[in-house]
Every structure is written in structure tokens, then in C-alpha cells.
Amino acid sequence: MSSYLSLLDATITHLEALQAKGVRTVTVSPETLQLFVPSPRKPTATPARSASNAPVGRPAASERVPLEPLSPPPAPSPAAPKPTAPRTAAAAARWNLAAQSAPAAGGAGLPPLPPPLAGPARAVAFETLRKKVLACVKCAHLANSRKSVVFGVGNLHARILFVGEAPGADEDVQGEPFVGKAGELLTKIIQAMGLTRADVYIANILKCRPDTPGQTSGNRKPTPTEISTCIPWLQEQIDLIQPEVMVALGVSAMEGLLGKLDVNISRQRGSWTSYRGIPLMPTYHPAYLLRNQSLSEKRKVWEDMLLVMERANLPISEKQRAFFLAK
Ligand code: URA
């Protein structure tokens, strides 16, 4: 093992030990952080979509960053080409480090999006990826407990990608994301947007159901190690789909995408951030809406979806705008 990888492994072990003790942040100087970042390669011929500098939190009106139109894609920012990185231990380490250094937008340190693949090539690449994911045993405990690997579902050319946390019991049985009670609500939300599940793509941060040894029911949040192990699969799905807009459903989806552990969904929902240059809208997880039936929380999610529809240039009827006003 190279000294670079040894150093990364030692760092991962150290950070995980701190995390296990409940430590949530460590101070890392910019100089030290720089030691872990491979030298940037020259930017590729196809530029990444420009990363929005929108702050993660809801900024004061005067600080809000104007939204860029989706098409044509904005020119790449000349500042700081994003370094490329292998999707290995180093990627996992970067997820952890990013969690500590709290970048404003998600995916910092990841390679820019590759040139999009055309229809047939995309389908072939997706199938190849699907086979790899279905055979994944990187988390031995989850591979042992799962009934299915829940890869993702929908349109490979979707303009909108919904990202959830992890499969629950229903998804584990059926092998498809969001098919239980929360999934039914997500389907209704998608339909209220004038779309179907086949128009969008739906995936999770984790492809396997988090195990709950000794319990006969209930779910648990994915651990940081599980997320950092699994997130490269989602990154590859995003490389292939290249959606125009992404929606993070709940805290874990945001934490996984942004590599942060301090997400405050009620503060961050409704404000755009970005994931590798793709506009990213955080909103509440449908399961939260099932637990909290208040109209005001449902309305917030709908307001977030109206922003998503605007950003994806989807038509919005008066009825859709007034959806919650009419209730
Ligand atoms: N919750 C999620 O986050 N994902 C699913 O697929 C189902 C429930």
C-alpha cells in the first residue's frame, strides 16, 4: 500500500474512532486538508455544470444567490477545477473529511460529471452498473441480512432525480425504492407535479436495507461507514443520468450527498444548494409527512416541489400553484 493510502486509512480509522465517541467535528487546517487532495488533473474537455455557490442554509434575502437557468447549461466556473479521484478508500475518506470540513455545496472533491452518454450506450452502461450493484457485498452485514439490493427505478434520461435514505422492509422485499407507505406518498407528490414514476428517477443513498439485528420491525439510519461505502454507486448512477435537478428527501439523503453530518433539514429545505453542479433541493422525507400530518408541513414540501418544477422548466398550472391555498 502506498504511503498516501496508508495515511488515508489511518485517518479514516482515527476519524471513525472519534465519531464512535460522539465527536461530530474536528478542526482541520486548510494546509492539512490539502495534503489529502490529489493534485487536480486538467479539466476535461466537457466541463462540469457550474457549481452553484448557493449557501447550504437559508440565506437572508439580500444574500440569496440568483438561480441560474437550466438550459443552456451555464459555463464552467474558471475557479478551482475539481480534482478527480478514484472511487476507493480515498473516496470514502473524502466523504468523511468533507463531513468535517463542511463545504457549501455537495460533491466538492468528486470528479466533474463525465460527458453524457447517448441513449443505447447509457442503457448498456446502466445495466453493467446494475449488475455490479446487485452483486455488491462490500457491507457484509447488509449483504447477509438483505432480501434484495434496491438499485433504483425510473427513466435513465430523467430530468429530476429523487434521492432517499435507504430501503425499508417493503423495498427490501420488492427490490424497488419507495414502494411502502412513504413511497405511496412520494408517488402522489410526483403525480401532483404532473409526472409519473416512469418520468423521474428514484434512488437511495444506501442500496441495502440497514439491518436491525434482534428487532422484528423498525428501521435504522445508515451509518457513516455504510454511506461512504455505498455512495459511489449513487455517484455512478448520477454520472449516467445527469439529471437537471435533484431532490434530497430528508436528512440522510442530504448528509450522503453533501458529505456532511450536520444537516438541519427544517432550516435547509426550500433553499437551493448543488451537487456536483446539479441544482439540489432539500425537502422533508415523505415518512416525516406521514408522522407529522400537519397541513403546514405538507405545504412546505409542495412549495419545494414548485421550486423544483420551475427549475426543471415544467409547466405549472394555476391549480398546482394554488394546491394548498385551496385546502
Ligand atoms: N425510505 C427511503 O428513504 N427509501 C426508500 O426506498 C423507502 C423508504
Side-chain angles (χ1 to χ4, degrees):
M1 191 187 279
S2 74
S3 55
Y4 173 70
L5 284 180
S6 306
L7 180 59
L8 282 180
D9 277 351
T11 307
I12 295 167
T13 307
H14 178 62
L15 289 174
E16 284 182 343
L18 289 177
Q19 215 160 44
K21 284 186 204 154
V23 176
R24 286 287 166 264
T25 56
V26 293
T27 307
V28 183
S29 71
E31 295 77 24
T32 307
L33 205 53
Q34 202 54 36
L35 293 174
F36 293 91
V37 179
S39 330
R41 278 203 220 145
K42 274 197 203 150
T44 51
T46 304
R49 292 176 227 201
S50 81
S52 155
N53 290 324
V56 171
R58 183 192 294 275
S62 59
E63 294 168 349
R64 276 198 193 130
V65 177
L67 300 181
E68 311 134 32
L70 276 174
S71 52
S77 159
K82 292 186 190 134
T84 57
R87 291 180 177 137
T88 57
R94 217 180 334 276
W95 188 90
N96 281 334
L97 286 171
Q100 311 301 332
S101 62
L110 288 171
L113 292 175
L117 292 178
R122 188 177 301 200
V124 169
F126 223 77
E127 193 46 29
T128 306
L129 176 62
R130 202 175 68 87
K131 285 192 179 131
K132 281 198 280 180
V133 175
L134 295 195
C136 179
V137 289
K138 285 188 211 163
C139 301
H141 59 299
L142 300 187
N144 282 332
S145 61
R146 74 188 176 209
K147 294 190 177 70
S148 333
V149 176
V150 180
F151 177 66
V153 71
N155 191 331
L156 307 193
H157 297 267
R159 293 162 72 183
I160 304 177
L161 168 66
F162 289 87
V163 178
E165 177 182 279
D170 294 314
E171 291 75 19
D172 188 35
V173 169
Q174 296 188 42
E176 181 170 330
F178 283 98
V179 290
K181 288 267 173 284
E184 283 168 16
L185 181 52
L186 177 62
T187 304
K188 280 189 192 157
I189 293 170
I190 291 168
Q191 287 167 347
M193 296 167 79
L195 301 169
T196 67
R197 281 171 71 102
D199 293 320
V200 300
Y201 200 87
I202 306 173
N204 282 312
I205 296 286
L206 236 60
K207 307 303 186 209
C208 295
R209 181 174 190 222
D211 61 347
T212 50
Q215 284 177 227
T216 50
S217 62
N219 295 319
R220 72 160 170 84
K221 261 182 78 122
T223 66
T225 303
E226 287 165 348
I227 294 177
S228 62
T229 306
C230 203
I231 198 80
W233 294 134
L234 179 62
Q235 283 158 3
E236 287 195 46
Q237 288 175 303
I238 295 168
D239 282 349
L240 291 171
I241 299 169
Q242 308 219 354
E244 292 177 16
V245 185
M246 290 172 52
V247 179
L249 298 165
V251 173
S252 295
M254 278 291 277
E255 288 182 349
L257 289 168
L258 269 64
K260 285 164 62 77
L261 293 172
D262 58 356
V263 168
N264 180 335
I265 197 71
S266 33
R267 195 167 58 80
Q268 292 172 222
R269 61 140 288 277
S271 292
W272 288 105
T273 182
S274 74
Y275 172 82
R276 292 164 75 201
I278 303 171
L280 172 66
M281 173 56 66
T283 195
Y284 290 132
H285 193 287
Y288 166 75
L289 295 184
L290 292 177
R291 287 193 304 273
N292 183 336
Q293 293 278 342
S294 86
L295 203 59
S296 66
E297 298 304 83
K298 286 185 193 153
R299 183 177 173 157
K300 285 177 192 163
V301 171
W302 183 241
E303 281 167 2
D304 299 345
M305 293 309 103
L306 288 175
L307 292 173
V308 168
M309 290 168 73
E310 273 168 11
R311 193 78 191 227
N313 290 322
L314 291 176
I316 305 180
S317 67
E318 279 315 307
K319 191 174 164 204
Q320 283 169 318
R321 281 210 187 278
F323 205 59
F324 272 89
L325 301 178
K327 307 222 160 184

